[in-house]
Amino acid sequence: MSKTRELIELSERRSAHNYHPLPVVVHEARGAWVTDVEGTRYLDCLAGYSSLNFGHGNPAIVQAAQEQLQRLTLTSRAFFHDQFAEFCEGLADLCGKDMILPMNTGAEAVETAIKVARKWGYEVKGVAPDQANIVVMEDNFHGRTTTIVSFSTDPDARDGFGPATPGFTIVKYGSAEAIREAIDANTVAVLLEPIQGEAGVLVPPAGYLQQVREICTENNVLFIADEIQSGLGRTGDTFACDHEGVVPDMYVLGKALGGGVVPVSAVVADADVLGVIKPGQHGSTFGGNPLACAVGNAVIRLLRTGEYQARAKELGALLHERLTGLIGTGGVVAVRGRGLWAGVDIDPSIGTGRQVCEALMRRGVLAKDTHGSTIRLAPPLVVSEEDLNWAVDQLAAALAELSED
Ligand SMILES: *Cc1c(COP(=O)(O)O)cnc(C)c1O
C-alpha cells in the first residue's frame, strides 16, 4: 500500500469526518508550492482559505516565530509581555482605529464582535435588556460556534445543532434596501462579509458597502465587516472595504493575520465601541499570546510595504482576464471575485466542482470546490505570474478532459 493510502486510511479511521479532503498528503511547502509524501509537487491555489497570503514558510514570518519560540511563548493576559504593545498599536493603525481585542480563531473574533455590539447596544445606544438584534446576510459564513451557526442559511452548517441563539435577522446579501427594512429600534449592528467567500466568492453590487455604511450611520447601528478571508491583501487592497473607500465600525480579522503559522484573530474598533468591555467580561487564555503577537507583528510589517496588496491587484487582473476567457466554450459558466481571489462556476454538464478539483490535483494544482459546481482559486499572493498562468492552463485542460468523458 502506498504511503498516501496508508496515511489517508488511518486518518479516516481515527478522525471525525467533518471534512472531505482531496486525497493528497502534504509533507512540506515553500512559497506557493507544496510537496506530498510521495515527492509530488502541487501549486497551492487554496492557501489555507487565505491564511497563507504571504506564502508557505515566508522567511520574515518564520524568523519572527523562531526568535519568539526561543524566548517567550505564553504569559496569559494576566501579565503584559513585550510583543503585545507593538501588535495592538500596529494592527489598530493598519485599520485606522483606536484599539484591538485579540483572540485566536476567526469564529472567536466573530463571537467577540457580537458580544461587543450587544453590550454597546445596551450601554451606549440604550436598547432594553436582552432585546438587541443584529442584521446578518443570507449565505453568510462566519464560523462554526453554536451562536454563529444559529444564523447560517446553509442547512449542513445549521441543522441538528439547535436550539438556535436568538437575536439575528437574516436578509438578502447585496440589497441595501433589505437592510434598511430589517433595522428596528433594537438593532445594534449589521454584520457582513464585504465579499462572501464560502458562498462562492460573491461580490456585492457596486456601491453596496457605501450604502450599508450610510444606513448604519443614519440608524446608529454598528457596521461590522468580517474581513477574516477578504482582508489583509487578498483583494488587492488591505481590506475589501477599501475598494469602496468604506470604513466599518468594527473589523473582524483572522486567517492571514497568523501568517499561516498560528491562529491569530482580532476585533478592531474605536474606543467608544471596544471600550464597553471591562475586566472579566470577555477573554481568552491564548488570545494575544507572545508567539501570536510576534507573528502578527511580522504580518503587519509585510502589509505596511503595500507590496502584497499591489501583487494581488496586478496578478488578480491577469487571473480574472484569463478565467473570463474560459466562459462559454471553456466549460466555465461564470467568474467572480477581486484580486487574487476567484469563484469559478463550472458548467454542471461537464462535472461537479469536486471532479474538477480532483482533475486539477492530478495535474498538480490544489483547489477546493464549494456548493456543488463552484471552485475557488486563491493562491498565496507570492505566486509567480508564470505559475499563475500555468494553473489557469491546467484548469482549461482539466475542463477539456472532463468534457471529453
Ligand atoms: C474562515 C472564516 C471564519 C471562521 O474562521 P475560523 O478561524 O475557521 O474560526 C469566519 N468568517 C469568515 C469570513 C471566514 O472566511
Side-chain angles (χ1 to χ4, degrees):
M1 191 162 50
S2 74
K3 181 106 185 158
T4 297
R5 266 285 118 225
E6 192 185 318
L7 290 170
I8 289 175
E9 279 180 20
L10 183 56
S11 303
E12 294 284 332
R13 205 158 57 237
R14 303 308 294 263
S15 73
H17 293 181
N18 56 330
Y19 282 89
H20 181 32
L22 287 171
V24 58
V25 182
V26 177
H27 176 62
E28 59 186 359
R30 226 4 121 226
W33 288 85
V34 306
T35 307
D36 74 5
V37 288
E38 317 287 348
T40 308
R41 297 178 79 228
Y42 305 86
L43 186 67
D44 182 359
C45 284
L46 182 64
Y49 301 90
S50 291
S51 299
L52 288 153
N53 283 1
F54 311 99
H56 292 272
N58 182 292
I61 297 172
V62 168
Q63 194 192 344
Q66 276 171 339
E67 281 175 15
Q68 193 61 42
L69 264 176
Q70 304 289 338
R71 209 155 47 75
L72 175 72
T73 53
L74 195 63
T75 54
S76 86
R77 292 286 307 279
F79 316 122
F80 290 94
H81 62 77
D82 64 5
Q83 297 297 304
F84 191 69
E86 181 184 337
F87 181 61
C88 298
E89 181 174 51
L91 189 57
D93 286 351
L94 190 76
C95 298
K97 296 287 184 192
D98 293 339
M99 54 174 69
I100 77 159
L101 197 163
M103 298 295 282
N104 310 284
T105 65
E108 286 176 305
V110 172
E111 288 275 349
T112 302
I114 292 168
K115 286 177 71 175
V116 169
R118 285 179 171 181
K119 204 146 207 309
W120 174 89
Y122 301 127
E123 293 183 1
V124 179
K125 182 165 176 167
V127 172
D130 292 340
Q131 296 305 303
N133 72 69
I134 295 176
V135 177
V136 296
M137 303 301 135
E138 279 176 9
D139 299 323
N140 70 73
F141 184 84
H142 297 290
R144 301 294 196 169
T145 65
T146 45
T147 286
I148 292 171
V149 301
S150 294
F151 58 86
S152 173
T153 57
D154 175 355
D156 280 339
R158 184 196 63 221
D159 292 355
F161 302 114
T165 305
F168 298 95
T169 308
I170 302 169
V171 304
K172 195 174 151 56
Y173 185 64
S175 165
E177 214 34 60
I179 294 176
R180 198 188 292 279
E181 280 167 22
I183 288 176
D184 62 26
N186 295 329
T187 303
V188 296
V190 172
L191 166 63
L192 59 78
E193 301 154 82
I195 292 178
Q196 287 189 327
E198 299 304 298
V201 197
L202 304 186
V203 181
Y208 174 68
L209 298 175
Q210 280 176 1
Q211 286 174 293
V212 174
R213 176 67 277 177
E214 281 162 25
I215 293 166
C216 287
T217 304
E218 274 167 32
N219 291 279
N220 194 24
V221 163
L222 299 176
F223 178 3
I224 308 173
D226 179 346
E227 293 252 18
I228 290 171
Q229 195 166 158
S230 59
L232 309 184
R234 174 56 57 190
T235 62
D237 288 299
T238 305
F239 302 108
C241 283
D242 295 348
H243 188 75
E244 291 195 9
V246 162
V247 180
D249 297 295
M250 271 196 260
Y251 288 98
V252 187
L253 304 175
K255 292 203 166 100
L257 190 56
V261 178
V262 281
V264 184
S265 69
V267 166
V268 189
D270 278 335
D272 58 342
V273 175
L274 269 184
V276 300
I277 299 289
K278 299 287 182 314
Q281 295 175 348
H282 191 57
S284 159
T285 303
F286 291 97
N289 71 71
L291 183 59
C293 289
V295 166
N297 286 334
V299 165
I300 292 161
R301 285 194 291 272
L302 294 178
L303 284 168
R304 272 201 206 112
T305 68
E307 286 165 29
Y308 293 85
Q309 296 91 322
R311 262 194 97 69
K313 194 164 275 180
E314 235 169 79
L315 292 180
L318 171 75
L319 175 68
H320 286 280
E321 187 192 309
R322 294 263 349 248
L323 289 173
T324 306
L326 298 179
I327 294 177
T329 54
V332 169
V333 177
V335 178
R336 294 172 301 273
R338 180 165 294 137
L340 267 179
W341 200 17
V344 183
D345 290 346
I346 305 297
D347 179 351
S349 71
I350 287 179
T352 62
R354 173 79 184 188
Q355 286 171 319
V356 175
C357 288
E358 285 168 356
L360 276 173
M361 193 190 109
R362 290 192 294 271
R363 294 176 166 277
V365 176
L366 296 182
K368 184 75 175 78
D369 54 299
T370 181
H371 297 288
S373 55
T374 300
I375 63 169
R376 277 173 298 187
L377 297 175
L381 310 183
V382 298
V383 68
S384 73
E385 184 175 333
E386 192 188 350
D387 290 346
L388 188 66
N389 269 312
W390 177 82
V392 180
D393 293 342
Q394 299 318 303
L395 176 62
L399 291 170
E401 173 194 311
L402 286 171
S403 60
E404 277 163 22
D405 294 346

